Amino acid sequence: MRKLLNTLFVTQSDVYLSLDGDNIVLIQEKEKLGRLPLHNLESIVTFGYSGASPALMGYCAERNISIAFLTKNGRFLARVIGQSKGNVVLRKKQYQLSEEELPSASVSRNFIIGKVYNNKWMLERMTRNYPLRIDVEKFKNVSKQLTVILEELKKCEDLERLRGWEGQAAINYNKVFDSMILQQKDDFSFRLRTRRPPLDNVNAMLSFAYTLLANDMTAALESVGLDAYVGFMHQDRPGRASLALDMMEELRGVLADKFVLSIINRREITKDGFFKKENGAVIMTDEARKKFLKSWQLKKQEKITHPFLGEKISWGLVPYAQSLLLARFLRGDLDEYPPFLWK
């Protein structure tokens, strides 16, 4: 369990939540893991199926403490809330900003700054960690180009121009993506991003990783009371979680891309984990998908220090931290949304 911005995260999948006086009690196999006073909490997020007592849910509903239930893999199930005064105000603010060009551009700019900044430092780390295995000069040149784009992004207040700079940054970053694949070069290579369908092994894994990340971000946004389907940069479309797609931009490279590169370079998945369909689409086998998911869950358990909060949290909680920060910004508690800046 972990408290983050007055939210209690219960990450063990077999913990039952109960009420004792004004305290939440965490029980695992009839053993009490701990207890916390509820008056300090704004919300509770629990991963797993054990559930919570009706008494606890009633207590929290009366005091406007939300309880969000997710699967152990992070898929959103349900959210128990009382009178939805705060969430109505929060979502109304979200909808209002999404309809206005300048505020939407202001928030979107920070999403893209986070993405480009993180991709830049991925390249810088490669030059530091593998100077004898990559073309350092090429990586440094791309890193410099990303720095120039970052400076342009900081003063950009137009959504179309933001999308243009983001596209330019992606083109530069993709120029060296294949060079970050250090093992199994005959079976794993990257030339360009192909989505529907993925046309090679690397793109098949990138698509799967982005889907998992989008699901995690959607669950996180719903857990804090935001509407994952109303975004600021991605246009609204029925069935598309536009805000989740907006917010996952800053985590695409530093979480999803790095993860795919690591399982290739560690040889956790080989060419035998893929097959090609008649239309050219490359699909992961069931066995490869299981390995991928197992490694993804382990990755989400790795600890990092959150650059804005200064707290040590797992990668799996980063989408929740960013969702909470966005909610704080929309409520007026923060002057602007702080992107996740990894280094």
Side-chain angles (χ1 to χ4, degrees), residues 72-88:
K72 62 181 180 181
N73 292 327
R75 183 172 59 84
F76 180 78
L77 292 174
R79 186 164 178 260
V80 177
I81 57 174
Q83 294 183 356
S84 56
K85 301 172 186 173
N87 295 326
V88 168

Side-chain angles (χ1 to χ4, degrees), residues 59-275:
Y59 181 101
C60 290
E62 288 177 0
R63 290 157 180 80
N64 203 30
I65 302 170
S66 68
I67 306 178
F69 296 93
L70 289 80
T71 69
K72 62 181 180 181
N73 292 327
R75 183 172 59 84
F76 180 78
L77 292 174
R79 186 164 178 260
V80 177
I81 57 174
Q83 294 183 356
S84 56
K85 301 172 186 173
N87 295 326
V88 168
V89 173
L90 177 63
R91 290 198 176 200
K92 282 182 70 175
K93 184 66 175 179
Q94 177 189 353
Y95 300 150
Q96 177 191 339
L97 261 62
S98 72
E99 294 294 328
E100 300 176 15
E101 175 81 13
L102 192 58
S104 290
S106 178
V107 180
S108 299
R109 179 175 59 211
N110 284 8
F111 297 149
I112 301 306
I113 284 175
K115 176 181 182 178
V116 176
Y117 179 95
N118 292 335
N119 288 356
K120 168 185 166 61
W121 283 105
M122 279 178 63
L123 306 187
E124 290 292 338
R125 281 205 175 188
M126 287 295 295
T127 63
R128 185 187 69 190
N129 295 338
Y130 305 102
L132 302 180
R133 304 184 66 179
I134 63 170
D135 185 339
V136 172
E137 184 178 357
K138 184 177 181 180
F139 272 70
K140 286 290 186 182
N141 285 336
V142 173
S143 178
K144 288 177 183 176
Q145 290 167 351
L146 294 183
T147 299
V148 171
I149 291 172
L150 280 171
E151 292 304 313
E152 294 294 335
L153 286 170
K154 289 176 183 177
K155 54 191 179 186
C156 185
E157 297 182 343
D158 178 82
L159 274 174
E160 284 306 312
R161 288 184 60 218
L162 278 173
R163 294 185 183 106
W165 285 119
E166 188 238 348
Q168 188 60 48
I171 290 170
N172 283 294
Y173 169 75
N174 286 340
K175 287 178 182 176
V176 293
F177 190 91
D178 185 67
S179 298
M180 291 190 277
I181 300 172
L182 304 176
Q183 301 289 340
Q184 307 188 84
K185 295 291 289 185
D186 291 338
D187 304 315
F188 294 90
S189 62
F190 180 88
R191 292 175 181 81
L192 75 162
R193 181 77 179 105
T194 55
R195 297 174 176 82
R196 300 182 185 89
L199 299 177
D200 57 57
N201 297 347
V202 176
N203 273 291
M205 286 195 289
L206 287 174
S207 291
F208 193 32
Y210 294 156
T211 297
L212 295 174
L213 181 56
N215 288 338
D216 288 348
M217 188 60 76
T218 299
L221 290 165
E222 295 287 347
S223 297
V224 303
L226 288 165
D227 189 334
Y229 291 83
V230 177
F232 300 106
M233 184 173 65
H234 287 83
Q235 293 180 343
D236 296 342
R237 184 184 300 169
R240 181 167 79 172
S242 297
L243 183 57
L245 295 178
D246 284 353
M247 292 195 65
M248 67 178 273
E249 290 295 343
E250 56 200 275
L251 299 177
R252 275 183 189 268
V254 74
L255 182 52
D257 291 0
K258 276 183 96 276
F259 171 75
V260 168
L261 289 167
S262 70
I263 61 175
I264 295 172
N265 291 334
R266 292 200 301 258
R267 299 178 182 271
E268 292 182 22
I269 291 181
T270 65
K271 65 178 181 179
D272 297 331
F274 304 85
F275 64 92

Side-chain angles (χ1 to χ4, degrees), residues 4-37:
L4 182 68
L5 294 178
N6 296 327
T7 295
L8 173 65
F9 290 92
V10 183
T11 53
Q12 299 98 318
S13 61
D14 56 349
V15 171
Y16 183 76
L17 311 179
S18 66
L19 180 70
D20 183 9
D22 293 320
N23 302 295
I24 180 174
V25 180
L26 291 84
I27 301 172
Q28 185 179 49
E29 296 180 355
K30 299 183 179 180
E31 296 273 338
K32 289 185 179 180
L33 289 184
R35 56 192 287 136
L36 288 168

